[in-house]
Amino acid sequence: MIKIDDTVEMNGEAELADRLQKSLKGKRYLIVLYDMWKSEAWDAVILCFPNENKGSGILLTTRNTQVARYAGTENLSSQMGFMDQNESWNLFRSVAFVNEALPSYYENIGKQIADECHGLPLTIVVVAGLLKSKKAIEDWRSVTKDVKSVVTNDPDERCSRVLGLSYNHLTGELITCLLHFGIFPEDSEIPVKNLMRSWITEGFLQLENDLEGEAEKCLQELVDRCLVLVCKKSLDGTKIRSCKVHDLIYDLCVREIQRENIFIMNDIVLDKSDSERRYLIMHKMQPFKRVTGYEIDYCPHGLYGALLTPVHR
């Protein structure tokens, strides 16, 4: 284990890389690099490992074939295939019913839905999570039709459309809470306390007498629908301590924020130089829209919605 002390914090990544390399030198190790998207990321992390290799290994996962080739693993790589019918059904059933007994009348329609996911695990998990809270057979038949209409032959596009299907089945309150993940850095692990405090502060929740309980309920429902991933739990396993969203879910949140004309404002400063009027000066507005204080001043009311980041002033 590498201790993150003041020296590491001051010198940043270079100091951390140096310490990691020294700690691994002369040892056997297995490093897992999960879901790498860019070759530049490989260039950055490979410097952290010793040059000599004494029975050690690095396991790299990526959805970008070019990254695998760039890392020199082309002859050592294993292309993951799609699930067959039995694997798809077993995964679907394990998510949709967990420890519950499977009623026989759900099996046929459930297998149809699993087949329509064409063996793509993320699609299966998201659709099953959507149906987890729907026990009426009519709802399952309805989703069967929806899945058929959104699934295409392109795996990435197929997944995006199915994620959109799951998104469209959320209530207004859950949609707002899910979109809020789009203001955090991609792939970041978010402390649940900070997340729920932000939901409550922004007024996303309906109940007024038990906001914290309502926030926990919303988070659990998003987890149950497989839209939010649990990172850490309390020691007794009863409470979620930190969470994140899959990068495809994150992209969905960002697209919906853009589509709804919501923009993220960072570093908002209230300028008091004018004694009679106050102006909002936007130093950064990323990644959606840049608006000057002048434009805000003369902008008709209700034209935009503002989603503030946790770092705003």
mmCIF file of all heavy atoms in Angstrom, residues 24 33 35 42 62 64 121 126 144 152 165 219 235 242-243 250 263 271 311:
data_model
loop_
_atom_site.group_PDB
_atom_site.id
_atom_site.type_symbol
_atom_site.label_atom_id
_atom_site.label_comp_id
_atom_site.label_asym_id
_atom_site.label_seq_id
_atom_site.Cartn_x
_atom_site.Cartn_y
_atom_site.Cartn_z
ATOM 1 N N LEU A 24 6.969 -1.823 -6.497
ATOM 2 C CA LEU A 24 6.763 -3.050 -7.271
ATOM 3 C C LEU A 24 8.070 -3.701 -7.711
ATOM 4 O O LEU A 24 8.084 -4.870 -8.103
ATOM 5 C CB LEU A 24 5.921 -2.743 -8.519
ATOM 6 C CG LEU A 24 4.471 -2.310 -8.291
ATOM 7 C CD1 LEU A 24 3.829 -1.921 -9.621
ATOM 8 C CD2 LEU A 24 3.662 -3.403 -7.614
ATOM 9 N N LEU A 33 -6.072 -3.124 -15.252
ATOM 10 C CA LEU A 33 -6.464 -1.802 -15.740
ATOM 11 C C LEU A 33 -7.812 -1.961 -16.439
ATOM 12 O O LEU A 33 -7.902 -2.509 -17.532
ATOM 13 C CB LEU A 33 -5.415 -1.261 -16.716
ATOM 14 C CG LEU A 33 -3.994 -1.142 -16.161
ATOM 15 C CD1 LEU A 33 -3.030 -0.717 -17.258
ATOM 16 C CD2 LEU A 33 -3.959 -0.140 -15.007
ATOM 17 N N ASP A 35 -11.325 -0.972 -18.245
ATOM 18 C CA ASP A 35 -12.084 -0.057 -19.100
ATOM 19 C C ASP A 35 -11.259 1.151 -19.541
ATOM 20 O O ASP A 35 -11.626 2.292 -19.281
ATOM 21 C CB ASP A 35 -13.354 0.404 -18.371
ATOM 22 C CG ASP A 35 -14.438 0.836 -19.346
ATOM 23 O OD1 ASP A 35 -14.323 0.510 -20.535
ATOM 24 O OD2 ASP A 35 -15.392 1.507 -18.915
ATOM 25 N N TRP A 42 -2.731 4.722 -21.552
ATOM 26 C CA TRP A 42 -1.754 3.635 -21.447
ATOM 27 C C TRP A 42 -0.338 4.195 -21.313
ATOM 28 O O TRP A 42 0.460 3.730 -20.503
ATOM 29 C CB TRP A 42 -1.855 2.730 -22.677
ATOM 30 C CG TRP A 42 -0.761 1.703 -22.743
ATOM 31 C CD1 TRP A 42 0.346 1.732 -23.536
ATOM 32 C CD2 TRP A 42 -0.661 0.510 -21.967
ATOM 33 N NE1 TRP A 42 1.125 0.628 -23.319
ATOM 34 C CE2 TRP A 42 0.535 -0.142 -22.351
ATOM 35 C CE3 TRP A 42 -1.458 -0.077 -20.995
ATOM 36 C CZ2 TRP A 42 0.946 -1.350 -21.797
ATOM 37 C CZ3 TRP A 42 -1.056 -1.281 -20.435
ATOM 38 C CH2 TRP A 42 0.135 -1.895 -20.831
ATOM 39 N N THR A 62 -10.667 -3.124 -22.401
ATOM 40 C CA THR A 62 -11.031 -1.936 -23.166
ATOM 41 C C THR A 62 -12.097 -2.302 -24.181
ATOM 42 O O THR A 62 -12.197 -3.461 -24.602
ATOM 43 C CB THR A 62 -9.810 -1.343 -23.889
ATOM 44 O OG1 THR A 62 -10.203 -0.195 -24.654
ATOM 45 C CG2 THR A 62 -9.165 -2.359 -24.817
ATOM 46 N N ASN A 64 -12.103 -0.463 -26.896
ATOM 47 C CA ASN A 64 -11.493 0.159 -28.064
ATOM 48 C C ASN A 64 -10.353 -0.736 -28.552
ATOM 49 O O ASN A 64 -9.315 -0.856 -27.903
ATOM 50 C CB ASN A 64 -10.956 1.546 -27.689
ATOM 51 C CG ASN A 64 -10.504 2.336 -28.911
ATOM 52 O OD1 ASN A 64 -10.138 1.763 -29.923
ATOM 53 N ND2 ASN A 64 -10.522 3.650 -28.797
ATOM 54 N N PRO A 121 -24.388 -8.027 -22.479
ATOM 55 C CA PRO A 121 -24.636 -8.053 -21.029
ATOM 56 C C PRO A 121 -25.186 -6.753 -20.459
ATOM 57 O O PRO A 121 -26.125 -6.784 -19.658
ATOM 58 C CB PRO A 121 -23.250 -8.373 -20.446
ATOM 59 C CG PRO A 121 -22.547 -9.098 -21.533
ATOM 60 C CD PRO A 121 -23.026 -8.487 -22.807
ATOM 61 N N VAL A 126 -29.547 -3.775 -17.836
ATOM 62 C CA VAL A 126 -30.363 -2.559 -17.755
ATOM 63 C C VAL A 126 -31.849 -2.874 -17.927
ATOM 64 O O VAL A 126 -32.698 -2.390 -17.169
ATOM 65 C CB VAL A 126 -29.895 -1.525 -18.804
ATOM 66 C CG1 VAL A 126 -30.883 -0.367 -18.885
ATOM 67 C CG2 VAL A 126 -28.518 -1.001 -18.438
ATOM 68 N N THR A 144 -41.415 -5.593 -23.865
ATOM 69 C CA THR A 144 -41.007 -6.461 -24.977
ATOM 70 C C THR A 144 -41.132 -5.710 -26.295
ATOM 71 O O THR A 144 -40.240 -5.754 -27.144
ATOM 72 C CB THR A 144 -41.876 -7.735 -25.027
ATOM 73 O OG1 THR A 144 -41.818 -8.392 -23.762
ATOM 74 C CG2 THR A 144 -41.395 -8.688 -26.104
ATOM 75 N N THR A 152 -30.950 -2.182 -32.233
ATOM 76 C CA THR A 152 -30.446 -2.135 -33.613
ATOM 77 C C THR A 152 -29.319 -3.149 -33.760
ATOM 78 O O THR A 152 -28.982 -3.872 -32.837
ATOM 79 C CB THR A 152 -29.914 -0.730 -33.955
ATOM 80 O OG1 THR A 152 -28.733 -0.504 -33.179
ATOM 81 C CG2 THR A 152 -30.937 0.342 -33.648
ATOM 82 N N LEU A 165 -34.322 3.831 -23.191
ATOM 83 C CA LEU A 165 -35.588 3.196 -22.823
ATOM 84 C C LEU A 165 -35.737 3.162 -21.306
ATOM 85 O O LEU A 165 -36.785 3.504 -20.763
ATOM 86 C CB LEU A 165 -35.627 1.776 -23.391
ATOM 87 C CG LEU A 165 -36.682 0.821 -22.831
ATOM 88 C CD1 LEU A 165 -38.070 1.320 -23.180
ATOM 89 C CD2 LEU A 165 -36.470 -0.582 -23.372
ATOM 90 N N LEU A 219 -32.018 6.811 -4.467
ATOM 91 C CA LEU A 219 -30.742 6.211 -4.824
ATOM 92 C C LEU A 219 -30.868 4.699 -4.957
ATOM 93 O O LEU A 219 -30.377 4.101 -5.922
ATOM 94 C CB LEU A 219 -29.679 6.563 -3.780
ATOM 95 C CG LEU A 219 -28.295 5.948 -4.004
ATOM 96 C CD1 LEU A 219 -27.715 6.394 -5.343
ATOM 97 C CD2 LEU A 219 -27.352 6.310 -2.867
ATOM 98 N N LEU A 235 -20.151 -1.118 6.947
ATOM 99 C CA LEU A 235 -19.611 -2.379 7.439
ATOM 100 C C LEU A 235 -20.685 -3.460 7.567
ATOM 101 O O LEU A 235 -20.440 -4.635 7.318
ATOM 102 C CB LEU A 235 -18.916 -2.164 8.786
ATOM 103 C CG LEU A 235 -17.617 -1.339 8.723
ATOM 104 C CD1 LEU A 235 -17.061 -1.132 10.121
ATOM 105 C CD2 LEU A 235 -16.589 -2.010 7.825
ATOM 106 N N SER A 242 -20.727 5.006 -1.153
ATOM 107 C CA SER A 242 -20.299 5.724 -2.352
ATOM 108 C C SER A 242 -20.824 4.992 -3.586
ATOM 109 O O SER A 242 -21.111 3.797 -3.533
ATOM 110 C CB SER A 242 -18.774 5.853 -2.409
ATOM 111 O OG SER A 242 -18.162 4.585 -2.517
ATOM 112 N N CYS A 243 -20.951 5.727 -4.677
ATOM 113 C CA CYS A 243 -21.523 5.157 -5.896
ATOM 114 C C CYS A 243 -20.961 5.868 -7.109
ATOM 115 O O CYS A 243 -20.255 6.871 -7.000
ATOM 116 C CB CYS A 243 -23.050 5.258 -5.861
ATOM 117 S SG CYS A 243 -23.647 6.965 -5.768
ATOM 118 N N TYR A 250 -23.344 7.806 -17.963
ATOM 119 C CA TYR A 250 -22.847 9.179 -17.846
ATOM 120 C C TYR A 250 -23.071 9.939 -19.157
ATOM 121 O O TYR A 250 -23.539 11.086 -19.163
ATOM 122 C CB TYR A 250 -21.364 9.163 -17.479
ATOM 123 C CG TYR A 250 -20.765 10.524 -17.281
ATOM 124 C CD1 TYR A 250 -20.835 11.160 -16.048
ATOM 125 C CD2 TYR A 250 -20.111 11.193 -18.329
ATOM 126 C CE1 TYR A 250 -20.297 12.420 -15.861
ATOM 127 C CE2 TYR A 250 -19.568 12.442 -18.145
ATOM 128 C CZ TYR A 250 -19.652 13.057 -16.902
ATOM 129 O OH TYR A 250 -19.112 14.305 -16.729
ATOM 130 N N PHE A 263 -27.469 24.004 -18.650
ATOM 131 C CA PHE A 263 -26.022 24.114 -18.746
ATOM 132 C C PHE A 263 -25.402 24.102 -17.363
ATOM 133 O O PHE A 263 -26.008 24.491 -16.381
ATOM 134 C CB PHE A 263 -25.586 25.366 -19.521
ATOM 135 C CG PHE A 263 -26.234 26.652 -19.064
ATOM 136 C CD1 PHE A 263 -25.821 27.281 -17.906
ATOM 137 C CD2 PHE A 263 -27.249 27.219 -19.818
ATOM 138 C CE1 PHE A 263 -26.405 28.467 -17.510
ATOM 139 C CE2 PHE A 263 -27.836 28.402 -19.407
ATOM 140 C CZ PHE A 263 -27.424 29.037 -18.259
ATOM 141 N N ASP A 271 -20.722 39.833 -8.869
ATOM 142 C CA ASP A 271 -19.972 41.080 -8.957
ATOM 143 C C ASP A 271 -20.783 42.206 -8.320
ATOM 144 O O ASP A 271 -21.880 42.520 -8.756
ATOM 145 C CB ASP A 271 -19.687 41.395 -10.432
ATOM 146 C CG ASP A 271 -18.790 42.614 -10.592
ATOM 147 O OD1 ASP A 271 -18.385 43.165 -9.557
ATOM 148 O OD2 ASP A 271 -18.509 42.987 -11.746
ATOM 149 N N VAL A 311 -18.931 22.733 -7.085
ATOM 150 C CA VAL A 311 -17.818 23.643 -6.823
ATOM 151 C C VAL A 311 -18.192 25.108 -7.034
ATOM 152 O O VAL A 311 -17.349 25.968 -6.994
ATOM 153 C CB VAL A 311 -16.604 23.307 -7.723
ATOM 154 C CG1 VAL A 311 -16.092 21.918 -7.419
ATOM 155 C CG2 VAL A 311 -16.951 23.441 -9.201
#
